[in-house]
Amino acid sequence: MSAKFDLLTLGAVAVDDLCYVDSFPKPDEKTPVLRRQRQCGGMSAIAAITASRLGGKSAYAGVLGREELSKFAFHQMRAEGVNLRHLRRRDGVRPVHSIIIVDAKTGTRNIFYDFSGVVGAARDWPPAPVIESARVLFVDWYSVPGMIRAARLARAAGIPVVADFEQNELPGFATLLGLVDHLILSQVFATKLTGHSDPRRALASLWTGRQQLAAVTCGAKGCFYMTADKPGAVRHEAAFKVKAVDTTGCGDVFHGAYALALARKMPAPERIRFASAVAALKATKPGGAQQGIPTLAQVRRLMDKGSV
């Protein structure tokens, strides 16, 4: 089947209720809320929305329910141009529901999440031809069995698999990890997975020789990565100089931008730099991941100038 989508995602969709405060209170103290917002979030949803906003064709084919949170996420993704034709509805299912407290002064945040009712990738959905119609498959750790099935189908069809993981405790995770072609992890999770806080040592531990690229993102310290054409050589992409006001969802945005760049056949250094620019611009905007995703024109301007 010829490619229909640049990016297909199957996993985490969230509804994020953001509360902005002047500063985090100490235990047992109170603080007023400066403002509140509700947005669509989640690794798979934001990756798909990012690709769409940057001019790509993306689709979400996971499982949602019929209640209020699912309806909100559905309408948000559809409004962003994400193809939802292959989304499956089931009673009793809902997105992740997150309460995000953002420090308005520093741009940092704490996330309180509820996984009850979350399915993500189904064990028997979507049909193989849907997966085979994508240029890139994005997987996360929501419903590992469903992700393993999708990743195996993608790899059999020669479709690269890009991954974003935050947990490794679920059964089958090691199998899923071995099916990933492009592994991009935050420094926090890379440290947890390998025991190495140094991103260079973490990459050496993560590299199996089967991946096309492995990367560790380190926020303001940039991104360290290794590629199949130069195994053992760790390269570094410096972070763009921006004033960060809200880092919520920067990692999700990075993955979506990287996946789109991969679908467009950019070389590895260009993919990493492009994704870094998109994530940096997101950090300059308050309001969570969805609201802060830049346009392609804004990304190109930052890449030309090097700073905002």
Side-chain angles (χ1 to χ4, degrees):
M1 179 180 290
S2 61
K4 183 177 180 180
F5 307 116
D6 292 312
L7 176 62
L8 176 67
T9 71
L10 308 171
V13 175
V15 174
D16 295 337
D17 286 320
L18 296 105
C19 296
Y20 290 82
V21 297
D22 188 60
S23 61
F24 292 116
K26 296 178 181 179
D28 296 323
E29 289 186 349
K30 298 179 180 179
T31 191
V33 173
L34 301 178
R35 64 183 184 277
R36 302 170 66 101
Q37 289 180 324
R38 171 170 280 191
Q39 291 189 33
C40 185
M43 292 180 283
S44 282
I46 293 302
I49 290 172
T50 299
S52 179
R53 196 176 292 186
L54 292 170
K57 295 180 179 179
S58 64
Y60 178 77
V63 182
L64 289 177
R66 296 180 174 87
E67 40 57 72
E68 175 195 358
L69 296 176
S70 292
K71 290 178 181 177
F72 177 85
F74 177 90
H75 290 300
Q76 291 294 304
M77 287 192 287
R78 185 173 64 179
E80 293 281 3
V82 178
N83 187 304
L84 300 175
R85 178 182 176 186
H86 303 291
L87 181 150
R88 174 165 279 191
R89 302 273 198 171
R90 289 181 182 170
D91 291 333
V93 177
R94 70 172 200 167
V96 179
H97 189 199
S98 299
I99 308 297
I100 303 175
I101 312 300
V102 182
D103 186 322
K105 289 182 178 179
T106 65
T108 58
R109 82 281 192 228
N110 284 356
I111 301 176
F112 305 85
Y113 53 83
D114 180 0
F115 283 163
S116 58
V118 176
V119 170
R123 292 172 181 262
D124 58 350
W125 188 263
V130 175
I131 294 171
E132 293 161 0
S133 69
R135 290 187 174 91
V136 175
L137 174 70
F138 175 86
V139 300
D140 57 38
W141 55 275
Y142 287 76
S143 184
V144 170
M147 291 297 183
I148 290 173
R149 169 188 174 268
R152 284 174 170 162
L153 288 169
R155 289 187 63 132
I159 297 166
V161 179
V162 175
D164 184 7
F165 299 132
E166 292 180 348
Q167 290 194 23
N168 62 322
E169 292 86 0
L170 295 175
F173 177 80
T175 299
L176 178 59
L177 185 63
L179 294 169
V180 173
D181 302 296
H182 299 258
L183 180 65
I184 304 170
L185 304 178
S186 70
Q187 185 176 16
V188 171
F189 186 65
T191 299
K192 177 183 177 181
L193 199 59
T194 67
H196 300 301
S197 58
D198 182 335
R200 295 176 178 84
R201 295 185 67 188
L203 281 170
S205 180
L206 290 167
W207 190 258
T208 64
R210 296 189 299 270
Q211 304 112 329
Q212 291 300 306
L213 177 142
V216 176
T217 58
C218 303
K221 295 181 180 179
C223 179
F224 296 83
Y225 66 102
M226 190 182 297
T227 57
D229 62 331
K230 294 183 178 180
V234 176
R235 288 183 270 185
H236 177 249
E237 177 67 37
F240 286 87
K241 296 179 180 180
V242 299
K243 182 179 179 181
V245 299
D246 187 348
T247 60
T248 305
C250 284
D252 303 339
V253 169
F254 185 105
H255 282 81
Y258 178 91
L260 178 62
L262 179 62
R264 298 290 171 83
K265 302 186 182 303
M266 293 183 187
E270 293 182 26
R271 296 195 298 266
I272 293 292
R273 188 165 187 265
F274 178 75
S276 298
V278 177
L281 285 171
K282 190 276 130 206
T284 67
K285 303 294 183 182
Q290 182 186 358
Q291 184 168 311
I293 301 168
T295 64
L296 184 58
Q298 291 170 327
V299 176
R300 285 173 173 166
R301 284 197 295 270
L302 175 60
M303 294 179 72
D304 288 342
K305 294 173 60 178
S307 63
V308 174

